[in-house]
Amino acid sequence: MAKKQFKAESKRLLDMMINSIYTHKEIFLRELISNASDAIDKLAYRALTDENVGLSRSDFAIWLTLDKDGRTITIEDNGIGMTREELETNLGTIAKSGSLKFKQELAQSEGDKGDVDVIGQFGVGFYSAFMVADKVTVTTRAYGSEEAWKWESAGADGYTVTEAAKTSAGTKIVLHIKDNAEGEDYDQFLSQYKLQALVKKYSDYVRFPIKMAMEKSRQMEKPADAGDDWKGGWESYTEIETLNSMVPLWQRQKSEITAETAAEFYQSKFGDMEAPLSHITANVEGAVTYKALLFIPAHAPFDLYTREYKGGLQLYSSGVLIMDKCPELVPEWFRFIPGVVDTQDVSLNISREMLQHTRQLEVIRNNLDKKIRAELLKIQKDRPEDYARFWREFGLLLKYSALGSYGANKESLRDLLMFATTHESGLTALKAYVERMPEDQQYIYYAAAEDASQAGKLPQSERILAKGYEILCVQNSEDELLLQILGQQEGKPFKSVNDDDALPQTEEEKAAAEKQAEDSKGLLDFVKETLGDKVFAVRTSGKLVSQPVCMTTEGPITLEMEKYFRQQKLISGMDVSNGMTAQRVLELNPNAPAFAALQRAYENDREKAARYAHVLYYQSLLIAGLPLEDPAAYAQLVCSLME
Ligand code: ADP
Ligand code: MG
């Protein structure tokens, strides 16, 4: 029996294959099962026109057998098999794909792909067996042939082909698993559970059953003649199991995918205890043909906001898992969306692991982006409570995505963004705010506060609310920045309730305000002098209704930003004493009784007026939610006024 040599370059190629193409040794099983599935597909196709095949669809199967002691894994199929010649060309020549040839011939002959979904195309997958095996034996009999052949190889130095015996068409591949080597655990593959898990992971949707006799044990039943001293015990037995689920949910008709089946699929596939808020199906034919099934989770993964988090969709091609997390299939801002995409239209590289960055991916990504957004907007409209939940879990990520890259993606996200509001809904999208605006309202109002109810209680909010207008609450500097980046909504600019011209003023009103300021100049100067560096300026205010004071700012740094910087200082110890504080403006309500009291004190008792000035200052801080530098002094001050 003469040993045939691989062609010289084949030798090197095989060596490369074995050692460097694949990152995960475990994919050998995926490759061999895919080949078995292809072989069955070919015979099943043949059976459509050739009744001699004598097998119906349900007779086809792939068998896995594990022999721990003999260190072998066997993969057997009742597919088309190979003639001696095919054995030599397909397994003796690297990068020769009989399956690709089959596909090409099929396409040429009829232009009809029938029910065939052949996976192979590169002609290298088979050799991945040598990553885990030191010897591979292939026994095969081609359909329609009386002969069977055995191909055997221990790797790079060649193979033998000898005659063999086999009763029916098909192929049986026996892998003799390598011994453990330093840093390499091959024994792991000699476990039925490992093989089961690998089938689930990579080949769950192969269209023919993958069967394995599983060793199990059970409690023995008490024999009829057993005495009272019968202690019971365990017995082992084998049970034949089909390891794969075969029909992927996403291949079914949209109408067949109910909320229940989708939830069940999602929970088992993505290991979530909770059902998703929603599922999205896509079945697209055209420039790129693909099917997709995506989910909107009810809660964020615990590590979403960490650097380690890796999002993306699962990519399948012909029911075989190609990539577990393919980030290119969804836009960055939807990276938390789990799901699967199944397509034959992306170019895989030879290891079927990574993809080239093709236009096809971009087409899929853009389509899915639209679909996900449409679904979210539907939830926002029809199920506001669910949307509020979604926003709690993922809102931060969407906000940062809108802020990122200098707002490059803001328009994609605008409609999804939510803000706390004084409106009874508590949370609103900008569009809905604008829809509720009374005709005479010119701006979208916002106030910085802890929450919407606080925002509504700010002294400067009173006049806005009195007009029947709604106020958005910006809860941190990110929110404020977000409004700046968004600029407007449907032509309506954003306006802080702190702005003097937050409500349009008539000329008379303006003139009256100016006169008021002039008349009070002496008093205002006195208050400023009394408070010194604590405030940047003291003014009479047109924004107040019933409250006597409020604190606003002038210049680029707002009170919110100041709060933020203060927190940063607490966290990082960074020195923020310079330039990071807001220029505070104390605004007094000239119509409030307190103002009149201050005025009287200023005229009659300067010492008392100074104390009043301090009280008003402290109150403005309290109302704005700002800390008092010296709460004890404030308490004393108030008490002193009671004496
Ligand atoms: P590919 O599957 O990409 O074509 P492989 O290296 O996996 O490449 O397989 C090479 C060829 O060997 C296949 O195209 C097929 O013609 C043949 N082959 C492999 N396994 C089997 C099998 N179980 N039954 C019949 N033919 C097979
Ligand atoms: Mg293959």
Side-chain angles (χ1 to χ4, degrees):
M1 153 179 92
K3 202 171 219 181
K4 307 231 171 166
Q5 295 293 304
F6 288 111
K7 300 214 176 88
E9 53 283 39
S10 303
K11 259 188 183 171
R12 284 195 44 219
L13 200 55
L14 185 58
D15 206 49
M16 263 167 52
M17 273 292 315
I18 296 171
N19 296 305
S20 57
I21 286 193
Y22 298 105
T23 32
H24 300 295
K25 290 193 161 44
E26 64 185 30
I27 59 86
F28 75 93
L29 194 64
R30 173 189 82 179
E31 292 299 327
L32 297 180
I33 287 175
S34 297
N35 286 350
S37 164
D38 283 353
I40 293 176
D41 236 345
K42 290 172 200 167
L43 189 56
Y45 180 71
R46 183 81 173 254
L48 297 177
T49 53
D50 178 354
E51 56 193 33
N52 291 330
V53 173
L55 293 170
S56 67
R57 228 189 139 81
S58 60
D59 298 324
F60 291 113
I62 299 163
W63 292 82
L64 293 187
T65 320
L66 173 64
D67 175 359
K68 257 190 182 158
D69 300 329
R71 294 190 76 79
T72 64
I73 298 171
T74 303
I75 298 108
E76 191 169 3
D77 66 70
N78 53 356
I80 193 106
M82 283 177 275
T83 62
R84 172 171 195 156
E85 209 189 334
E86 283 166 339
L87 250 187
E88 299 233 8
T89 38
N90 291 336
L91 302 189
T93 321
I94 293 164
K96 181 89 185 177
S97 171
S99 292
L100 181 63
K101 192 162 156 255
F102 176 84
K103 267 194 279 199
Q104 287 164 341
E105 283 170 1
L106 206 64
Q108 251 174 18
S109 66
E110 295 155 52
D112 149 42
K113 286 209 282 172
D115 192 25
V116 193
D117 197 3
V118 169
I119 303 158
Q121 58 173 329
F122 294 119
V124 296
F126 170 77
Y127 302 99
S128 64
F130 289 105
M131 291 193 298
V132 298
D134 48 23
K135 192 173 92 181
V136 178
T137 309
V138 180
T139 309
T140 185
R141 177 171 158 176
Y143 169 71
S145 162
E146 300 297 312
E147 301 166 346
W149 298 97
K150 185 158 113 183
W151 182 99
E152 204 158 36
S153 171
D157 52 62
Y159 62 91
T160 59
V161 177
T162 51
E163 220 171 328
K166 196 170 184 308
T167 50
S168 58
T171 303
K172 175 176 169 178
I173 299 178
V174 181
L175 309 181
H176 185 268
I177 301 300
K178 292 178 186 176
D179 286 325
N180 279 352
E182 208 180 316
E184 294 293 353
D185 175 13
Y186 296 107
D187 286 359
Q188 60 169 318
F189 300 118
L190 295 170
S191 140
Q192 61 177 1
Y193 299 110
K194 179 70 180 183
L195 296 183
Q196 185 181 35
L198 289 179
V199 169
K200 265 282 171 214
K201 179 169 180 189
Y202 292 106
S203 311
D204 200 29
Y205 308 111
V206 163
R207 302 188 303 159
F208 303 99
I210 302 166
K211 298 185 180 187
M212 181 155 75
M214 299 289 283
E215 300 275 346
K216 303 193 162 177
S217 61
R218 64 183 160 210
Q219 220 149 10
M220 269 180 338
E221 256 174 62
K222 188 175 178 183
D225 56 354
D228 286 345
D229 57 343
W230 193 75
K231 295 243 164 46
W234 294 83
E235 61 183 357
S236 48
Y237 67 105
T238 54
E239 190 173 85
I240 292 165
E241 271 185 44
T242 297
L243 306 181
N244 55 332
S245 43
M246 291 183 278
V247 184
L249 191 59
W250 64 84
Q251 294 283 6
R252 304 222 184 113
Q253 293 293 319
K254 184 176 176 174
S255 59
E256 279 181 64
I257 309 176
T258 63
E260 287 73 39
T261 54
E264 201 182 302
F265 174 84
Y266 164 79
Q267 288 177 264
S268 76
K269 188 162 191 70
F270 297 101
D272 194 341
M273 309 279 276
E274 214 175 333
L277 288 180
S278 207
H279 71 274
I280 301 165
T281 56
N283 186 353
V284 178
E285 280 178 30
V288 183
T289 297
Y290 69 92
K291 291 195 168 77
L293 179 57
L294 314 182
F295 302 90
I296 296 174
H299 63 93
F302 70 95
D303 58 349
L304 179 63
Y305 296 105
T306 67
R307 205 190 288 270
E308 286 71 38
Y309 180 75
K310 205 168 168 284
L313 301 176
Q314 289 195 333
L315 176 64
Y316 283 85
S317 188
S318 305
V320 178
L321 179 67
I322 302 300
M323 236 176 137
D324 196 26
K325 288 188 169 165
C326 179
E328 287 90 351
L329 286 170
V330 271
E332 175 71 12
W333 48 87
F334 287 145
R335 62 175 187 263
F336 58 85
I337 296 280
V340 294
V341 172
D342 195 341
T343 179
Q344 304 206 48
D345 288 354
V346 290
S347 26
L348 306 178
N349 74 5
I350 199 165
S351 64
R352 298 210 268 140
E353 278 174 355
M354 278 166 296
L355 323 140
Q356 278 111 37
H357 292 242
T358 53
R359 229 195 82 61
Q360 282 88 328
L361 273 184
E362 196 183 312
V363 171
I364 296 179
R365 180 170 65 239
N366 290 340
N367 286 352
L368 291 180
D369 179 24
K370 280 191 210 121
K371 281 231 153 208
I372 298 169
R373 261 189 292 152
E375 181 65 22
L376 286 172
L377 290 176
K378 213 172 108 197
I379 301 177
Q380 192 189 64
K381 186 163 162 278
D382 303 338
R383 295 150 56 195
E385 269 169 37
D386 281 346
Y387 196 80
R389 172 136 195 239
F390 166 80
W391 183 251
R392 257 202 319 279
E393 295 288 327
F394 300 103
L396 195 59
L397 190 130
L398 293 185
K399 274 198 260 186
Y400 274 104
S401 300
L403 286 175
S405 314
Y406 303 100
N409 304 313
K410 65 178 180 184
E411 293 313 326
S412 299
L413 294 164
R414 176 184 287 272
D415 292 345
L416 299 177
L417 302 172
M418 298 299 273
F419 294 86
T421 174
T422 53
H423 180 257
E424 62 189 8
S425 58
L427 197 64
T428 186
L430 296 175
K431 217 182 170 120
Y433 179 108
V434 172
E435 274 163 23
R436 287 190 296 265
M437 275 169 72
E439 206 142 334
D440 64 345
Q441 185 178 343
Q442 293 179 6
Y443 302 114
I444 298 174
Y445 294 104
Y446 69 91
E450 295 278 306
D451 55 39
S453 110
Q454 294 248 14
K457 283 179 195 146
L458 287 176
Q460 46 289 45
S461 295
E462 199 174 346
R463 65 197 165 127
I464 313 278
L465 294 176
K467 294 280 267 178
Y469 303 161
E470 170 182 344
I471 300 171
L472 299 181
C473 167
V474 300
Q475 290 165 301
N476 44 47
S477 52
E478 289 88 18
D479 281 347
E480 212 166 333
L481 213 57
L482 195 56
L483 291 184
Q484 261 171 41
I485 279 199
L486 292 171
Q488 47 71 41
Q489 175 72 31
E490 281 146 76
K492 306 285 184 194
F494 300 110
K495 195 88 179 159
S496 164
V497 297
N498 288 342
D499 280 2
D500 284 332
D501 57 352
L503 286 179
Q505 276 181 316
T506 61
E507 289 305 316
E508 293 95 79
E509 282 169 336
K510 274 185 203 158
E514 260 163 51
K515 180 160 184 309
Q516 175 71 260
E518 233 157 81
D519 293 349
S520 316
K521 191 166 183 313
L523 172 63
L524 297 177
D525 287 348
F526 168 78
V527 176
K528 166 70 182 106
E529 218 167 281
T530 308
L531 296 175
D533 287 344
K534 287 188 167 71
V535 292
F536 171 75
V538 180
R539 293 188 190 132
T540 46
S541 177
K543 357 184 138 131
L544 298 170
V545 186
S546 62
Q547 294 278 357
V549 276
C550 72
M551 182 68 85
T552 60
T553 57
E554 200 167 285
I557 299 180
T558 63
L559 291 171
E560 275 316 291
M561 290 181 195
E562 186 187 303
K563 262 188 229 166
Y564 174 77
F565 292 135
R566 199 176 307 115
Q567 266 168 17
Q568 290 300 305
K569 185 180 176 184
L570 282 181
I571 298 166
S572 65
M574 165 178 98
D575 184 17
V576 291
S577 43
N578 283 326
M580 301 297 202
T581 45
Q583 292 184 342
R584 296 162 181 220
V585 177
L586 183 70
E587 302 200 26
L588 302 174
N589 180 356
N591 304 318
F595 187 85
L598 177 66
Q599 181 85 43
R600 274 198 305 278
Y602 170 66
E603 281 154 16
N604 307 319
D605 180 352
R606 288 290 159 98
E607 198 267 329
K608 194 171 177 189
R611 277 191 280 163
Y612 282 3
H614 273 106
V615 170
L616 289 171
Y617 164 73
Y618 282 126
Q619 281 180 349
S620 73
L621 292 180
L622 284 173
I623 294 170
L626 292 164
L628 306 179
E629 307 95 277
D630 191 350
Y634 172 65
Q636 266 176 356
L637 181 62
V638 173
C639 289
S640 75
L641 293 172
M642 296 166 67
E643 279 156 17

